[in-house]
Amino acid sequence: MSGSGALAAGFGLVPTDTTEDVRTRGAGVSTQVAVLPVGSFEQHGPFLPLATDTLVACAVAREIAAAYPVHLLPPLTVSCSHEHAAWPGTVSISAVTLHAVVRDIADSLRRSGVEALVVVNGHGGNYVLGNVVQEASARGERMALFPAAEDWETACERAGVLTSLLTDMHAGEIETSILLHAHPEFVRPGHESADFTADDRRHLLTVGMSAYTESGVIGRPSLGSAEKGKELLASLAESFASYFALLTPDEGATPVRG
């Protein structure tokens, strides 16, 4: 692993770069790329923390930063969690606010010479992030949203995840696995017997999550494991190569991880 990769791998939720670290990393590439984890603060049943989506987004972003010469940004920890409002502890901001914050961050980065931004989304309800990226791309700016559903499908196949993406909607096999690997200290007892499925959620935007689950869980967390979490993250880091190549056509997409 390169020096910058080793440093990135040691990051917690908040990157520890100095301004000189950023200067040095930027001097070695023709196109600088920043990675912004976007999570949420919402219920994840009785066994996963409210910050689960932030922890997942940060875990994915750390894997990327350990393998590619990117600037890892601190996470956005509150986003659009309106469908979870029935549960205590959930906090949301409007889609308009999230849109503005991400755009402001991208504008600020460009002023400092960082031309490209990858938004690593850990919360499925952040629909507006797709609009942010589409609009930025239409303006000729370099921005991407990661991971796509196809990246998750590839990762699930590699990790041996048994639950479909439709069924594994919230606090299920994927999220439980990633936290069991990346932050096992935050996983409380109970996921082994918390499975609950509700594949037909066509009215979710109208009635919210509470119409489909009492516990807040939709998925099969009992199937989660630390090994699956490790393989999910490794696969996503590999999938990021095509995004890096698209945003940095002069750099190539070979990871720096040794």
Side-chain angles (χ1 to χ4, degrees):
M1 182 181 291
S2 72
S4 62
L7 179 62
F11 287 156
L13 289 181
V14 179
T16 57
D17 273 345
T18 67
T19 187
E20 290 305 316
D21 294 328
V22 175
R23 190 193 311 277
T24 300
R25 189 184 304 114
V29 296
S30 59
T31 302
Q32 297 187 62
V33 179
V35 174
L36 175 66
V38 180
S40 72
F41 200 72
E42 64 185 36
Q43 71 83 20
H44 275 77
F47 55 88
L48 294 183
L50 294 160
T52 290
D53 290 341
T54 298
L55 295 170
V56 169
C58 286
V60 174
R62 284 196 305 269
E63 287 286 318
I64 292 171
Y68 301 86
V70 299
H71 300 306
L72 180 60
L73 300 176
L76 299 183
T77 58
V78 177
S79 60
C80 303
S81 302
H82 311 284
E83 70 272 28
H84 299 279
W87 280 271
T90 297
V91 182
S92 291
I93 58 176
S94 72
V96 172
T97 299
L98 182 57
H99 188 295
V101 169
V102 175
R103 183 169 178 178
D104 282 356
I105 289 171
D107 289 345
S108 177
L109 288 166
R110 283 193 301 276
R111 287 193 294 271
S112 66
V114 181
E115 302 93 336
L117 174 64
V118 179
V119 179
V120 175
N121 182 32
H123 172 46
N126 289 333
Y127 311 112
V128 71
L129 293 178
N131 299 114
V132 176
V133 173
Q134 285 181 323
E135 293 167 14
S137 299
R139 292 191 298 268
E141 301 163 11
R142 298 186 184 186
M143 191 181 295
L145 182 62
F146 182 81
E150 293 83 356
D151 301 313
W152 279 117
E153 289 170 355
T154 299
C156 287
E157 182 176 355
R158 169 171 165 172
V161 170
L162 301 177
T163 315
S164 71
L165 292 181
L166 172 64
T167 297
D168 195 63
M169 187 249 187
H170 195 69
E173 184 176 3
I174 292 174
E175 291 182 321
T176 302
S177 293
I178 291 176
L179 260 66
L180 283 172
H181 167 65
H183 296 285
E185 69 276 15
F186 296 151
V187 181
R188 300 187 184 187
H191 64 90
E192 305 88 348
S193 59
D195 291 5
F196 183 82
T197 60
D199 285 355
D200 187 347
R201 304 184 297 270
R202 69 187 73 188
H203 302 300
L204 177 66
L205 298 181
T206 302
V207 298
M209 280 280 290
S210 60
Y212 295 98
T213 171
E214 292 184 6
S215 67
V217 176
I218 296 181
R220 296 190 176 97
S222 68
L223 299 176
S225 72
E227 182 60 31
K228 289 179 181 177
K230 179 180 179 180
E231 291 301 316
L232 284 165
L233 293 175
S235 178
L236 291 174
E238 291 181 8
S239 292
F240 185 76
S242 64
Y243 294 78
F244 188 75
L246 186 64
L247 295 172
T248 61
D250 298 329
E251 302 294 342
T254 303
V256 298
R257 174 158 38 203

